[in-house]
Amino acid sequence: MDDCIFCQIVAGDIPSRTVYEDEHAFAFLDVNPLAPGHTLVIPKAHHETLGDLPADEGAAVFSALHELVPVVEDAVDADGSTVAFNNGEAAGQEVPHVHAHIVPRFDDDGHGPIHALFDGPGELSDDELDDIEEKIGAAME
Ligand code: AMP
Ligand code: ZN
């Protein structure tokens, strides 16, 4: 994708602070870090969301995450990390090339869990939960 900023980073047309690269995955420091060590992990090929990502490329991204998360945490002496995808525009995804954020976290950084994004648990009845369970389960068979 010529006009995709992350494809241009993979191609070397836009500079990045690259921290990892293999056949299918690529990782670099976020240019506007939410915390020291904020790292993005992407598939090299252009896919917009997780649902678009072929399984082997998804596995490569997860494998890179698995290796990178503890290394990134150590590099900035973090106590943990929030690892997340903004998956789709509705979830706040701004760059339409699937990417995982590794955001190092520190004791008492005060930012809370991803649950802090929401006001509280949604009010769902047992029937509604049963329907959702059945729908997802059936589609996964
Ligand atoms: P999202 O809102 O999940 O799409 O996140 C996109 C992320 O990409 C943001 O955290 C940006 O700071 C980051 N970003 C955008 N352009 C660049 C760039 N050229 N190099 C590194 N990170 C970038
Ligand atoms: Zn792209």
Side-chain angles (χ1 to χ4, degrees), residues 7-97:
C7 283
Q8 290 173 289
I9 285 175
V10 171
D13 296 336
I14 290 180
S16 71
R17 289 193 162 84
T18 306
V19 296
Y20 179 80
E21 180 171 8
D22 65 25
E23 188 186 350
H24 290 301
F26 193 90
F28 52 101
L29 298 187
D30 195 294
V31 76
N32 282 312
L34 297 173
H38 184 170
T39 299
L40 301 176
V41 183
I42 67 173
K44 282 184 166 175
H46 185 86
H47 302 287
E48 190 163 337
T49 65
L50 278 174
D52 301 326
L53 196 57
D56 59 336
E57 294 180 46
V61 168
F62 191 86
S63 173
L65 278 170
H66 178 251
E67 273 191 70
L68 275 164
V69 165
V71 172
V72 169
E73 288 179 3
D74 281 353
V76 296
D77 215 8
D79 302 303
S81 51
T82 295
V83 180
F85 294 81
N86 292 324
N87 195 45
E89 259 184 68
Q93 182 179 357
E94 290 187 355
V95 177
H97 181 133

